[in-house]
Amino acid sequence: MDKLVIKGGKPLRGEIAISGAKNAALPIIVASLLTSDWNTYYNVPKLRDIFTIKRLLENLGVEFEEGDGLRVNASRLKGYMAPYDLVRTMRASILVLGPLIARLGRAKVSLPGGCAIGARPIDLHLKGLAQMGAKISLDQGYIEARANCLKGADIYLDIPTVTGTENLMMAATLAKGITVIKNAAREPEVEALANMLNRCGAKIEGAGTDTIFIEGKNGLSGTEFRIIPDRIEAGTYMIAAGITGGEVIIKDCCLNHMQAIVDKLRDAGLIIEERGRKVFVKATSIHSTDVTTLPYPGFPTDMQAQFMALMCLGDGVSVITERIFENRFMHVLELKRMGADIKIDGSSAVVRGVSCLKGAPVMASDLRASASLVLAGLAARGVTEVYRVYHLDRGYEKIEVKLRALGAEIERVPA
Ligand code: UD1
């Protein structure tokens, strides 16, 4: 198991390119299950989660070819089961449920179970599929779903779940009749998936708003599609510039998808300017700012831990409230080991800025928590060792290579 060793205190300078969005690539690759034609995807990030979804799909008979883009073909499916050992490493595996029922009339998917950031149930996925006519049962930790023919339904989601919306939208593309998803997730990744499906011949309207209409078709064809930039990776590198007092130019990011992030980072003292197709980021001082995570277009929960690292060095007190997941403050204890002053009060963390953080050995607990520890390490005095780097590899492509290109002293070594 590797660790990252960071010698902190160097302002980052230079230019960096953002990779394709993990959370867009995952459902889009899975959506290949809905057609027997070849699909080609460009800008697919090289991440552990992408490798996991490929293994899961290969298990079902899906073929992959790597070239200029990632080519995917699901014409010869040989199974309908997603086993526990794959699903437990990545909850997004649940995305195969809707497409498998729609294409094969049958799916058997391991229940994801709990995870480091809370209970994260999938009841809304199952309720929606049941409304579309799927018979669902739970047996020995597996969800078994069957439907000879899914039918369109009027679905209201109690919570605008992201993968839930995606699962139901994918299933509805091959259902009989019209499906309406109300209180749908509005994330750009949901919209990207809808755009990809429409290019395959689906009829989806309203993706990106809270009501999505899907007219089911008899079949879909293949397409080519470019994965949108990763707004969370872009936000993380903006904070890397800010927390080290550096100046970074970010290429290949989409500020339109990042309004809440950019607004909060500007409130926190970062200068963020769009210059042509690039974004210039600089910080001279860090202002303590409150933030509450919310579904899109609100401030994303996937940026909460990184924002907290920045607030550790703020000029006052910041209250960070987590409204999406319970138990998503696993990074707090580790940040405190680096000298941060943070108190948890229910779903809020009260962060009092300190004049400096000090390097320490720290343990990554989930993907975004790990990113916050790397950010803290970049700003800290002395050496920080971040253990359990495999969490970072799930969602950040070559993080140490990208940071080194900006002048960071960071190395991956066997732990
Ligand atoms: C997705 C993202 C993840 C991000 C999260 C919230 C992917 C692959 N993952 O995860 O990075 O942190 O959105 O933006 O896109 N809930 C229920 N019942 C359900 C489904 C969800 O109660 O059936 C609750 C969850 O417990 C949570 C909230 O809804 O409190 C939001 O979860 P959800 O949007 O489903 O997260 P994911 O889709 O798993």
Side-chain angles (χ1 to χ4, degrees):
M1 238 185 270
D2 294 346
K3 65 178 175 183
L4 289 177
V5 180
I6 306 164
K7 209 184 263 174
K10 280 193 85 177
L12 300 190
R13 282 181 215 289
E15 193 166 290
I16 190 173
I18 297 305
S19 302
K22 165 178 90 71
N23 287 354
L26 288 172
I28 285 172
I29 293 171
V30 170
S32 316
L33 285 170
L34 294 163
T35 167
S36 46
D37 290 348
W38 281 95
N39 285 296
T40 308
Y41 306 121
Y42 300 102
N43 204 30
V44 177
K46 291 189 172 48
L47 299 170
R48 211 160 64 96
D49 274 8
I50 300 295
F51 180 71
T52 306
I53 206 75
K54 279 164 73 180
R55 271 215 299 160
L56 196 145
L57 294 180
E58 270 167 356
N59 221 31
L60 298 167
V62 175
E63 290 173 72
F64 289 91
E65 284 177 5
E66 302 263 4
D68 195 14
L70 177 68
R71 286 175 37 81
V72 189
N73 182 282
S75 59
R76 286 191 290 234
L77 292 180
K78 59 177 193 217
Y80 54 84
M81 182 167 129
Y84 177 67
D85 61 334
L86 289 174
V87 177
R88 89 187 149 81
T89 61
M90 188 182 69
R91 280 182 46 87
S93 310
I94 194 67
L95 285 165
V96 300
L97 185 62
L100 281 178
I101 310 170
R103 175 89 186 275
L104 301 175
R106 197 164 179 193
K108 185 170 175 180
V109 178
S110 169
L111 267 174
C115 72
I117 57 171
R120 299 179 86 174
I122 51 154
D123 54 316
L124 300 171
H125 302 229
L126 302 185
K127 186 175 163 198
L129 289 169
Q131 278 178 271
M132 295 171 76
K135 298 268 171 290
I136 294 172
S137 57
L138 297 179
D139 186 31
Q140 298 186 352
Y142 278 81
I143 304 154
E144 292 218 43
R146 283 171 191 257
N148 287 337
C149 174
L150 289 174
K151 52 183 192 330
D154 203 346
I155 297 168
Y156 171 79
L157 297 174
D158 286 343
I159 300 171
T161 155
V162 177
T163 48
T165 302
E166 291 165 346
N167 230 335
L168 298 173
M169 192 165 79
M170 288 190 279
T173 58
L174 295 181
K176 231 184 175 49
I178 292 175
T179 299
V180 184
I181 307 175
K182 293 178 186 148
N183 199 27
R186 291 178 279 170
E187 270 69 359
E189 293 76 18
V190 174
E191 200 177 342
L193 172 65
N195 290 341
M196 174 264 166
L197 289 167
N198 281 340
R199 288 175 65 130
C200 295
K203 188 143 190 257
I204 304 173
E205 283 174 17
T209 76
D210 63 2
T211 308
I212 304 179
F213 301 86
I214 308 120
E215 188 184 311
K217 298 281 178 184
N218 290 331
L220 298 182
S221 51
T223 190
E224 295 192 347
F225 197 77
R226 187 173 174 81
I227 306 297
I228 59 171
D230 196 312
R231 61 198 166 98
I232 306 299
E233 190 197 19
T236 303
Y237 285 111
M238 286 178 181
I239 293 182
I243 202 168
T244 61
E247 283 185 36
V248 171
I249 293 165
I250 300 187
K251 283 196 306 186
D252 305 333
C253 82
C254 179
L255 282 193
N256 283 345
H257 296 162
M258 299 180 65
Q259 198 179 347
I261 298 172
V262 168
D263 264 24
K264 274 295 156 193
L265 292 180
R266 284 187 176 139
D267 288 350
L270 270 67
I271 296 161
I272 301 176
E273 286 170 10
E274 205 162 3
R275 294 185 186 166
R277 294 162 68 95
K278 298 181 179 176
V279 180
F280 171 85
V281 187
K282 178 181 172 169
T284 43
S285 54
I286 302 172
H287 304 313
S288 294
T289 307
D290 297 345
V291 75
T292 299
T293 65
L294 288 168
Y296 190 85
F299 189 87
T301 174
D302 286 353
M303 281 300 300
Q304 180 256 106
Q306 301 91 312
F307 192 79
M308 191 181 296
L310 183 68
M311 289 300 98
C312 288
L313 294 170
D315 58 2
V317 179
S318 150
V319 180
I320 297 179
T321 305
E322 174 58 56
R323 289 242 189 277
I324 307 294
F325 293 116
E326 76 271 29
N327 198 20
R328 203 174 194 178
F329 284 140
M330 310 273 280
H331 41 287
V332 167
L333 278 177
E334 302 300 302
L335 289 170
K336 283 173 82 160
R337 300 183 67 244
M338 299 178 71
D341 180 350
I342 308 169
K343 284 198 180 61
I344 297 180
D345 181 10
S347 59
S348 294
V350 180
V351 187
R352 265 169 231 284
V354 293
S355 57
C356 76
L357 292 170
K358 294 183 203 100
V362 286
M363 192 75 88
S365 56
D366 72 48
L367 169 54
R368 307 304 170 185
S370 327
S372 82
L373 299 176
V374 171
L375 292 170
L378 291 172
R381 283 193 192 148
V383 176
T384 298
E385 294 177 333
V386 182
Y387 288 83
R388 297 197 182 158
V389 177
Y390 57 88
H391 289 296
L392 270 173
D393 296 335
R394 288 189 43 208
Y396 289 91
E397 187 173 288
K398 298 187 195 147
I399 190 165
E400 73 276 18
V401 177
K402 288 190 182 187
L403 286 171
R404 255 199 316 268
L406 297 175
E409 285 191 50
I410 177 168
E411 264 193 278
R412 179 186 290 254
V413 295

